Amino acid sequence: MKEFDKLCKGCMQKLNGENICPFCGFNQNEKQLFPYLEIGTVLEQRYSIGKIIDSNSEGIGYIAYDNVLSVPVYIKEFFPNILCYRGSNKRDVIIKSGYENQFKEYLNS
């Protein structure tokens, strides 16, 4: 079993099989609302996504777990929701038609 599977998806503390984390109160059965990345999504074959921490018009912040270094990390996803949307696979970021240049400009800045 991967280390991530033994951790609370809300705070990345080790659990002893509990569904409700005794440290932060996060329910391990809770699902992430669309368009946020699903809990357990793995990025770059390294980072396992936990719950959303914050969100604004520029992006989405998640608690995550670095499976290489075995430490919790903060992942900020560039997701300007006026310029893009989440693909039907619940993973891809799709740039809205006509906003490609603006998206690239914001991303570079």
Coordinates of all heavy atoms in Angstrom, one line a residue, residues 12-94:
M12 N -2.6 15.4 5.7 CA -1.5 14.5 5.4 C -0.8 13.9 6.6 O 0.3 13.5 6.6 CB -0.4 15.2 4.5 CG -0.9 15.6 3.1 SD -1.5 14.1 2.2 CE -2.6 14.9 1.0
Q13 N -1.6 13.8 7.7 CA -1.2 13.1 8.9 C -1.5 11.7 8.8 O -2.4 11.3 8.1 CB -1.9 13.7 10.2 CG -1.5 15.1 10.5 CD -0.1 15.3 11.0 OE1 0.4 14.5 11.8 NE2 0.6 16.3 10.5
K14 N -0.7 10.8 9.4 CA -1.0 9.4 9.3 C -2.2 9.0 10.1 O -2.5 9.5 11.2 CB 0.2 8.6 9.9 CG 1.4 8.6 9.0 CD 2.5 7.6 9.5 CE 3.6 7.7 8.5 NZ 4.7 6.7 8.8
L15 N -3.0 8.2 9.4 CA -4.3 7.7 10.0 C -4.1 6.2 10.4 O -3.3 5.5 9.9 CB -5.4 7.8 9.0 CG -5.8 9.2 8.5 CD1 -6.9 9.1 7.4 CD2 -6.4 10.0 9.7
N16 N -5.0 5.8 11.3 CA -5.0 4.4 11.7 C -6.3 3.8 11.2 O -7.0 3.1 12.0 CB -4.9 4.3 13.2 CG -3.5 4.7 13.7 OD1 -2.5 4.3 13.1 ND2 -3.4 5.5 14.8
G17 N -6.6 4.0 10.0 CA -7.8 3.4 9.4 C -9.1 4.2 9.6 O -10.2 3.8 9.2
E18 N -9.0 5.4 10.3 CA -10.2 6.2 10.6 C -10.7 6.8 9.3 O -9.9 7.1 8.4 CB -9.9 7.3 11.6 CG -9.4 6.8 12.9 CD -7.9 6.9 13.1 OE1 -7.2 7.0 12.1 OE2 -7.5 6.9 14.3
N19 N -12.0 7.0 9.2 CA -12.6 7.8 8.1 C -12.6 9.3 8.4 O -12.6 10.1 7.5 CB -14.0 7.3 7.8 CG -14.0 6.0 7.0 OD1 -13.1 5.7 6.3 ND2 -15.0 5.2 7.2
I20 N -12.7 9.6 9.7 CA -12.7 11.0 10.1 C -11.3 11.3 10.8 O -11.0 10.6 11.7 CB -13.8 11.4 11.1 CG1 -15.2 11.0 10.5 CG2 -13.8 12.8 11.5 CD1 -15.6 11.7 9.3
C21 N -10.6 12.2 10.2 CA -9.2 12.5 10.8 C -9.3 13.0 12.2 O -10.0 14.0 12.4 CB -8.5 13.5 9.8 SG -6.9 13.9 10.4
P22 N -8.6 12.4 13.1 CA -8.6 13.0 14.5 C -7.8 14.3 14.6 O -7.9 15.0 15.6 CB -7.9 11.9 15.3 CG -7.1 11.1 14.3 CD -7.8 11.2 13.0
F23 N -7.0 14.6 13.6 CA -6.2 15.9 13.6 C -6.9 17.1 13.1 O -6.9 18.1 13.6 CB -4.9 15.6 12.9 CG -4.1 14.5 13.4 CD1 -4.1 13.3 12.7 CD2 -3.3 14.6 14.6 CE1 -3.3 12.2 13.2 CE2 -2.6 13.5 15.1 CZ -2.6 12.3 14.4
C24 N -7.6 16.9 11.9 CA -8.2 18.0 11.2 C -9.7 17.9 11.0 O -10.4 18.8 10.6 CB -7.5 18.3 9.9 SG -7.9 17.1 8.6
G25 N -10.2 16.7 11.3 CA -11.7 16.4 11.1 C -12.1 16.1 9.7 O -13.3 16.0 9.5
F26 N -11.2 16.0 8.8 CA -11.6 15.8 7.4 C -12.1 14.4 7.2 O -11.6 13.4 7.7 CB -10.4 16.0 6.4 CG -10.7 15.9 5.0 CD1 -11.5 16.8 4.3 CD2 -10.3 14.7 4.3 CE1 -11.8 16.7 3.0 CE2 -10.6 14.6 2.9 CZ -11.3 15.6 2.3
N27 N -13.3 14.3 6.5 CA -13.9 13.0 6.2 C -13.2 12.4 5.0 O -13.3 13.0 3.9 CB -15.4 13.1 6.0 CG -16.1 11.8 5.7 OD1 -15.5 10.8 5.3 ND2 -17.4 11.8 5.9
Q28 N -12.6 11.2 5.1 CA -11.8 10.6 4.0 C -12.7 10.2 2.9 O -12.2 9.9 1.8 CB -11.0 9.4 4.6 CG -10.1 9.8 5.7 CD -9.2 11.0 5.4 OE1 -8.4 10.9 4.5 NE2 -9.3 12.0 6.2
N29 N -14.0 10.1 3.1 CA -14.9 9.7 2.0 C -15.4 10.9 1.2 O -16.1 10.7 0.2 CB -16.1 8.9 2.6 CG -15.7 7.6 3.2 OD1 -14.8 6.9 2.7 ND2 -16.3 7.3 4.3
E30 N -15.0 12.1 1.6 CA -15.5 13.3 1.0 C -14.9 13.4 -0.4 O -13.7 13.1 -0.7 CB -15.1 14.5 1.8 CG -15.7 15.8 1.3 CD -15.4 17.0 2.3 OE1 -15.5 16.7 3.5 OE2 -15.1 18.1 1.8
K31 N -15.7 13.8 -1.4 CA -15.3 14.0 -2.8 C -15.0 15.4 -3.1 O -15.6 16.3 -2.5 CB -16.4 13.5 -3.7 CG -16.8 12.0 -3.5 CD -15.7 11.1 -3.9 CE -16.1 9.6 -3.7 NZ -15.1 8.7 -3.5
Q32 N -14.1 15.7 -4.0 CA -13.8 17.0 -4.4 C -14.8 17.5 -5.4 O -15.1 16.7 -6.3 CB -12.4 17.0 -5.0 CG -11.6 18.3 -4.9 CD -10.7 18.3 -3.8 OE1 -11.1 18.7 -2.7 NE2 -9.5 18.0 -4.0
L33 N -15.3 18.6 -5.3 CA -16.3 19.1 -6.3 C -15.6 19.5 -7.6 O -14.5 20.0 -7.6 CB -17.0 20.4 -5.7 CG -17.9 20.1 -4.5 CD1 -18.5 21.4 -4.0 CD2 -19.0 19.1 -4.8
F34 N -16.3 19.3 -8.7 CA -15.8 19.7 -10.0 C -15.9 21.2 -10.1 O -16.8 21.8 -9.6 CB -16.8 19.1 -11.1 CG -16.2 19.2 -12.5 CD1 -15.3 18.3 -12.9 CD2 -16.7 20.2 -13.3 CE1 -14.8 18.4 -14.2 CE2 -16.2 20.3 -14.6 CZ -15.3 19.4 -15.1
P35 N -14.9 21.9 -10.6 CA -13.8 21.5 -11.5 C -12.5 21.2 -10.8 O -11.5 21.2 -11.4 CB -13.7 22.7 -12.4 CG -13.9 23.9 -11.5 CD -14.9 23.4 -10.5
Y36 N -12.5 21.0 -9.5 CA -11.2 20.7 -8.8 C -10.7 19.3 -9.1 O -11.5 18.4 -9.4 CB -11.4 20.9 -7.3 CG -12.0 22.2 -6.9 CD1 -13.2 22.3 -6.1 CD2 -11.4 23.4 -7.2 CE1 -13.7 23.5 -5.8 CE2 -11.9 24.6 -6.9 CZ -13.1 24.7 -6.2 OH -13.6 25.9 -5.8
L37 N -9.4 19.2 -9.1 CA -8.8 17.8 -9.3 C -9.4 16.9 -8.2 O -9.5 17.2 -7.1 CB -7.3 17.9 -9.2 CG -6.6 18.6 -10.4 CD1 -5.1 18.8 -10.1 CD2 -6.8 17.9 -11.7
E38 N -9.6 15.6 -8.6 CA -10.1 14.6 -7.7 C -9.0 14.3 -6.7 O -7.8 14.2 -7.1 CB -10.5 13.4 -8.5 CG -11.8 13.6 -9.3 CD -12.2 12.3 -10.0 OE1 -11.4 11.4 -10.2 OE2 -13.4 12.2 -10.3
I39 N -9.4 14.0 -5.5 CA -8.5 13.5 -4.5 C -7.9 12.2 -4.9 O -8.6 11.3 -5.4 CB -9.2 13.4 -3.1 CG1 -9.6 14.7 -2.6 CG2 -8.3 12.6 -2.1 CD1 -10.4 14.7 -1.3
G40 N -6.6 12.1 -4.8 CA -5.9 10.9 -5.3 C -5.3 11.1 -6.7 O -4.5 10.2 -7.1
T41 N -5.6 12.2 -7.4 CA -5.0 12.4 -8.7 C -3.5 12.5 -8.6 O -3.0 13.2 -7.6 CB -5.6 13.7 -9.4 OG1 -7.0 13.6 -9.5 CG2 -4.9 14.0 -10.7
V42 N -2.7 11.8 -9.4 CA -1.3 11.9 -9.4 C -0.8 12.8 -10.5 O -1.1 12.6 -11.7 CB -0.7 10.5 -9.4 CG1 0.8 10.5 -9.4 CG2 -1.2 9.6 -8.3
L43 N 0.1 13.7 -10.1 CA 0.7 14.6 -11.1 C 2.1 14.3 -11.3 O 2.8 14.1 -10.3 CB 0.5 16.1 -10.6 CG -0.9 16.6 -10.4 CD1 -0.8 18.0 -9.8 CD2 -1.8 16.5 -11.6
E44 N 2.6 14.3 -12.5 CA 4.0 14.1 -12.8 C 4.5 12.8 -12.2 O 5.7 12.7 -11.9 CB 4.9 15.3 -12.4 CG 4.5 16.6 -13.0 CD 4.7 16.7 -14.5 OE1 5.7 16.1 -14.9 OE2 3.9 17.3 -15.2
Q45 N 3.7 11.8 -12.0 CA 4.0 10.5 -11.4 C 4.7 10.7 -10.1 O 5.6 9.9 -9.7 CB 4.9 9.7 -12.4 CG 4.2 9.4 -13.7 CD 5.0 8.6 -14.6 OE1 6.3 8.6 -14.6 NE2 4.4 7.9 -15.5
R46 N 4.4 11.8 -9.4 CA 5.1 12.1 -8.2 C 4.2 12.7 -7.1 O 4.3 12.3 -5.9 CB 6.2 13.1 -8.5 CG 6.9 13.6 -7.2 CD 8.1 14.4 -7.5 NE 8.8 14.8 -6.3 CZ 10.0 15.3 -6.3 NH1 10.7 15.5 -7.4 NH2 10.6 15.6 -5.2
Y47 N 3.3 13.6 -7.4 CA 2.5 14.3 -6.4 C 1.0 13.8 -6.4 O 0.3 13.8 -7.4 CB 2.4 15.8 -6.7 CG 3.8 16.4 -6.8 CD1 4.4 16.6 -8.0 CD2 4.5 16.7 -5.6 CE1 5.7 17.2 -8.1 CE2 5.8 17.2 -5.7 CZ 6.4 17.5 -7.0 OH 7.6 18.0 -7.0
S48 N 0.6 13.3 -5.2 CA -0.8 12.9 -5.0 C -1.6 14.0 -4.4 O -1.2 14.5 -3.4 CB -0.8 11.6 -4.1 OG -0.1 10.6 -4.7
I49 N -2.7 14.3 -5.1 CA -3.5 15.5 -4.7 C -4.4 15.1 -3.5 O -5.1 14.1 -3.5 CB -4.4 16.0 -5.9 CG1 -3.4 16.5 -7.0 CG2 -5.4 17.0 -5.5 CD1 -2.7 17.8 -6.6
G50 N -4.5 16.0 -2.6 CA -5.4 15.9 -1.4 C -6.5 16.9 -1.6 O -6.8 17.3 -2.7
K51 N -7.0 17.4 -0.5 CA -8.2 18.3 -0.6 C -7.7 19.7 -1.0 O -6.6 20.1 -0.9 CB -9.0 18.4 0.7 CG -8.4 19.3 1.7 CD -9.4 19.5 2.9 CE -8.9 20.7 3.8 NZ -9.9 21.1 4.7
I52 N -8.7 20.5 -1.6 CA -8.5 21.9 -1.9 C -8.3 22.7 -0.7 O -9.0 22.5 0.3 CB -9.7 22.4 -2.8 CG1 -9.4 23.9 -3.1 CG2 -11.0 22.2 -2.1 CD1 -10.5 24.5 -4.0
I53 N -7.3 23.6 -0.7 CA -7.0 24.5 0.4 C -7.6 25.9 0.1 O -8.2 26.5 1.0 CB -5.5 24.6 0.7 CG1 -5.0 23.2 1.2 CG2 -5.2 25.7 1.7 CD1 -3.5 23.2 1.4
D54 N -7.4 26.4 -1.1 CA -7.9 27.7 -1.5 C -8.1 27.7 -3.0 O -7.6 26.9 -3.7 CB -7.0 28.8 -1.0 CG -5.5 28.6 -1.5 OD1 -5.3 28.3 -2.7 OD2 -4.6 28.9 -0.7
S55 N -8.9 28.7 -3.4 CA -9.2 28.9 -4.8 C -9.5 30.4 -5.0 O -10.2 31.0 -4.2 CB -10.4 28.1 -5.2 OG -10.8 28.3 -6.5
N56 N -9.1 30.9 -6.1 CA -9.4 32.3 -6.5 C -9.5 32.3 -8.0 O -9.4 31.3 -8.7 CB -8.4 33.3 -5.9 CG -7.0 33.1 -6.4 OD1 -6.7 32.7 -7.5 ND2 -6.1 33.4 -5.5
S57 N -9.6 33.5 -8.6 CA -9.8 33.7 -10.0 C -8.5 33.3 -10.8 O -8.6 33.1 -12.0 CB -10.2 35.1 -10.4 OG -9.2 36.0 -10.0
E58 N -7.4 33.1 -10.2 CA -6.2 32.7 -10.8 C -5.8 31.3 -10.7 O -5.1 30.7 -11.6 CB -5.0 33.5 -10.3 CG -5.1 35.0 -10.5 CD -3.9 35.8 -9.9 OE1 -3.1 35.2 -9.2 OE2 -3.9 37.0 -10.1
G59 N -6.3 30.6 -9.7 CA -5.9 29.2 -9.6 C -6.5 28.5 -8.4 O -7.3 29.1 -7.6
I60 N -6.0 27.3 -8.2 CA -6.5 26.4 -7.1 C -5.3 25.9 -6.3 O -4.4 25.4 -6.9 CB -7.4 25.3 -7.7 CG1 -8.5 25.8 -8.6 CG2 -7.9 24.4 -6.6 CD1 -9.1 24.7 -9.5
G61 N -5.4 25.9 -5.0 CA -4.4 25.4 -4.2 C -4.8 24.1 -3.5 O -5.9 24.0 -3.0
Y62 N -3.9 23.1 -3.5 CA -4.3 21.8 -2.9 C -3.2 21.4 -1.9 O -2.0 21.8 -2.1 CB -4.3 20.7 -3.9 CG -5.2 20.9 -5.1 CD1 -4.7 21.6 -6.2 CD2 -6.5 20.4 -5.1 CE1 -5.6 21.8 -7.3 CE2 -7.3 20.6 -6.2 CZ -6.8 21.3 -7.3 OH -7.7 21.5 -8.4
I63 N -3.6 20.7 -0.8 CA -2.6 20.0 -0.1 C -2.3 18.7 -0.9 O -3.2 18.2 -1.5 CB -3.0 19.7 1.4 CG1 -1.8 19.1 2.1 CG2 -4.2 18.7 1.4 CD1 -2.0 19.1 3.7
A64 N -1.0 18.3 -0.9 CA -0.7 17.2 -1.7 C 0.5 16.4 -1.0 O 1.0 16.9 0.0 CB -0.2 17.6 -3.1
Y65 N 0.9 15.3 -1.6 CA 1.9 14.5 -1.0 C 3.0 14.2 -2.0 O 2.6 13.7 -3.1 CB 1.4 13.2 -0.4 CG 2.3 12.5 0.5 CD1 2.7 12.9 1.7 CD2 2.9 11.3 0.0 CE1 3.6 12.2 2.5 CE2 3.8 10.6 0.8 CZ 4.2 11.1 2.1 OH 5.1 10.4 2.9
D66 N 4.2 14.5 -1.7 CA 5.3 14.2 -2.6 C 5.7 12.8 -2.3 O 6.3 12.5 -1.3 CB 6.5 15.2 -2.3 CG 7.7 15.0 -3.3 OD1 7.9 13.9 -3.7 OD2 8.3 16.0 -3.6
N67 N 5.4 11.9 -3.3 CA 5.7 10.5 -3.1 C 7.2 10.1 -3.2 O 7.6 9.0 -2.8 CB 4.9 9.7 -4.1 CG 3.4 9.8 -3.9 OD1 2.9 9.4 -2.8 ND2 2.7 10.4 -4.8
V68 N 8.0 11.0 -3.7 CA 9.4 10.8 -3.8 C 10.1 11.2 -2.5 O 10.9 10.4 -1.9 CB 10.1 11.6 -5.0 CG1 11.6 11.5 -5.0 CG2 9.5 11.0 -6.3
L69 N 9.8 12.4 -2.0 CA 10.4 12.9 -0.8 C 9.7 12.5 0.5 O 10.2 12.7 1.6 CB 10.6 14.4 -0.8 CG 11.5 14.9 -1.9 CD1 11.5 16.5 -1.9 CD2 12.9 14.4 -1.8
S70 N 8.5 11.9 0.3 CA 7.6 11.5 1.4 C 7.3 12.6 2.4 O 7.4 12.5 3.6 CB 8.2 10.3 2.2 OG 8.4 9.2 1.3
V71 N 6.9 13.8 1.8 CA 6.5 14.9 2.6 C 5.2 15.6 2.0 O 5.0 15.5 0.8 CB 7.6 16.0 2.7 CG1 8.8 15.4 3.4 CG2 8.0 16.5 1.3
P72 N 4.4 16.2 2.9 CA 3.3 17.0 2.4 C 3.8 18.3 1.6 O 4.9 18.8 2.0 CB 2.5 17.4 3.6 CG 3.2 16.8 4.8 CD 4.5 16.2 4.3
V73 N 3.1 18.7 0.6 CA 3.5 19.9 -0.1 C 2.2 20.6 -0.5 O 1.1 20.1 -0.4 CB 4.3 19.5 -1.4 CG1 5.6 18.9 -1.1 CG2 3.4 18.6 -2.4
Y74 N 2.4 21.9 -0.9 CA 1.3 22.7 -1.4 C 1.5 22.8 -2.9 O 2.5 23.1 -3.4 CB 1.4 24.1 -0.8 CG 0.4 25.1 -1.3 CD1 -1.0 25.0 -0.8 CD2 0.7 26.0 -2.2 CE1 -1.9 26.0 -1.2 CE2 -0.2 27.0 -2.7 CZ -1.5 26.9 -2.2 OH -2.5 27.8 -2.6
I75 N 0.4 22.5 -3.6 CA 0.4 22.6 -5.1 C -0.6 23.7 -5.5 O -1.7 23.7 -5.1 CB -0.1 21.2 -5.8 CG1 0.8 20.1 -5.4 CG2 -0.2 21.4 -7.3 CD1 2.1 19.9 -6.1
K76 N -0.1 24.6 -6.3 CA -0.9 25.7 -6.9 C -1.1 25.4 -8.4 O -0.2 25.3 -9.1 CB -0.3 27.0 -6.7 CG -1.2 28.2 -7.1 CD -2.3 28.4 -6.2 CE -3.1 29.7 -6.5 NZ -4.1 30.0 -5.5
E77 N -2.4 25.1 -8.7 CA -2.7 24.9 -10.1 C -3.1 26.2 -10.8 O -4.0 26.9 -10.3 CB -3.8 23.9 -10.2 CG -4.3 23.6 -11.6 CD -5.5 22.6 -11.7 OE1 -6.3 22.6 -10.8 OE2 -5.6 21.9 -12.7
F78 N -2.5 26.5 -11.9 CA -2.9 27.7 -12.7 C -4.2 27.4 -13.4 O -4.3 26.5 -14.2 CB -1.8 28.1 -13.7 CG -2.1 29.3 -14.5 CD1 -2.2 30.5 -13.9 CD2 -2.3 29.2 -15.9 CE1 -2.5 31.7 -14.7 CE2 -2.6 30.3 -16.6 CZ -2.7 31.6 -16.0
F79 N -5.3 28.1 -12.9 CA -6.6 27.8 -13.4 C -7.4 29.1 -13.4 O -8.3 29.2 -12.6 CB -7.2 26.7 -12.6 CG -8.5 26.1 -13.2 CD1 -8.4 25.0 -14.0 CD2 -9.7 26.6 -12.9 CE1 -9.5 24.4 -14.6 CE2 -10.9 26.0 -13.5 CZ -10.7 24.9 -14.3
P80 N -7.1 30.0 -14.4 CA -8.0 31.2 -14.4 C -9.3 30.9 -15.0 O -9.5 30.8 -16.2 CB -7.1 32.2 -15.3 CG -6.3 31.2 -16.2 CD -6.1 30.0 -15.3
N81 N -10.3 30.7 -14.2 CA -11.6 30.2 -14.6 C -12.4 31.0 -15.6 O -13.3 30.5 -16.2 CB -12.5 29.9 -13.4 CG -12.7 31.1 -12.5 OD1 -12.4 32.2 -12.9 ND2 -13.2 30.8 -11.3
I82 N -12.0 32.3 -15.9 CA -12.6 33.0 -16.9 C -12.0 32.7 -18.3 O -12.6 33.1 -19.3 CB -12.6 34.6 -16.7 CG1 -11.1 35.0 -16.6 CG2 -13.4 34.9 -15.4 CD1 -11.0 36.6 -16.5
L83 N -10.8 32.1 -18.3 CA -10.1 31.8 -19.5 C -10.1 30.3 -19.9 O -9.7 29.9 -21.0 CB -8.7 32.3 -19.4 CG -8.5 33.7 -19.1 CD1 -7.0 34.0 -19.0 CD2 -9.1 34.6 -20.2
C84 N -10.5 29.4 -18.9 CA -10.4 28.0 -19.1 C -11.4 27.2 -18.4 O -12.2 27.8 -17.6 CB -9.0 27.5 -18.7 SG -8.6 27.7 -17.0
Y85 N -11.5 25.9 -18.6 CA -12.4 25.0 -17.9 C -11.7 23.7 -17.8 O -10.8 23.4 -18.5 CB -13.8 25.0 -18.5 CG -13.8 24.5 -20.0 CD1 -14.0 23.2 -20.3 CD2 -13.6 25.4 -21.0 CE1 -14.0 22.7 -21.6 CE2 -13.6 25.0 -22.3 CZ -13.8 23.6 -22.6 OH -13.8 23.2 -23.9
R86 N -12.3 22.8 -17.0 CA -11.8 21.5 -16.8 C -12.4 20.5 -17.8 O -13.6 20.6 -18.1 CB -12.1 21.0 -15.4 CG -11.6 19.6 -15.0 CD -10.2 19.5 -14.6 NE -10.0 20.3 -13.4 CZ -8.8 20.9 -13.0 NH1 -7.7 20.7 -13.8 NH2 -8.7 21.6 -11.9
G87 N -11.5 19.7 -18.4 CA -12.0 18.7 -19.4 C -12.9 17.6 -18.8 O -12.9 17.5 -17.6
S88 N -13.6 16.9 -19.7 CA -14.5 15.9 -19.2 C -13.8 14.7 -18.5 O -14.4 14.0 -17.7 CB -15.3 15.3 -20.4 OG -14.5 14.8 -21.3
N89 N -12.5 14.6 -18.7 CA -11.7 13.6 -18.0 C -11.4 14.0 -16.5 O -10.7 13.3 -15.8 CB -10.4 13.2 -18.7 CG -9.4 14.3 -18.8 OD1 -9.6 15.4 -18.3 ND2 -8.3 14.1 -19.4
K90 N -11.8 15.2 -16.2 CA -11.7 15.7 -14.8 C -10.2 16.0 -14.4 O -9.9 16.2 -13.3 CB -12.3 14.8 -13.7 CG -13.8 14.6 -13.9 CD -14.3 13.7 -12.8 CE -15.8 13.4 -13.0 NZ -16.3 12.6 -12.0
R91 N -9.4 16.2 -15.5 CA -8.0 16.4 -15.3 C -7.4 17.5 -16.1 O -6.7 18.4 -15.6 CB -7.2 15.1 -15.5 CG -5.8 15.2 -15.2 CD -5.1 13.9 -15.5 NE -3.7 14.0 -15.3 CZ -3.0 13.5 -14.3 NH1 -3.6 12.9 -13.4 NH2 -1.7 13.7 -14.2
D92 N -7.7 17.5 -17.4 CA -7.1 18.5 -18.4 C -7.7 19.9 -18.2 O -8.9 20.0 -17.9 CB -7.4 18.0 -19.8 CG -6.7 16.8 -20.2 OD1 -5.7 16.4 -19.5 OD2 -7.1 16.1 -21.2
V93 N -6.9 20.9 -18.4 CA -7.3 22.2 -18.4 C -7.5 22.6 -19.9 O -6.6 22.5 -20.7 CB -6.3 23.2 -17.8 CG1 -6.7 24.6 -17.9 CG2 -6.1 22.8 -16.3
I94 N -8.7 23.0 -20.3 CA -9.0 23.4 -21.6 C -9.1 24.9 -21.7 O -9.9 25.5 -21.0 CB -10.4 22.8 -22.1 CG1 -10.4 21.3 -21.8 CG2 -10.6 23.1 -23.6 CD1 -9.4 20.4 -22.5

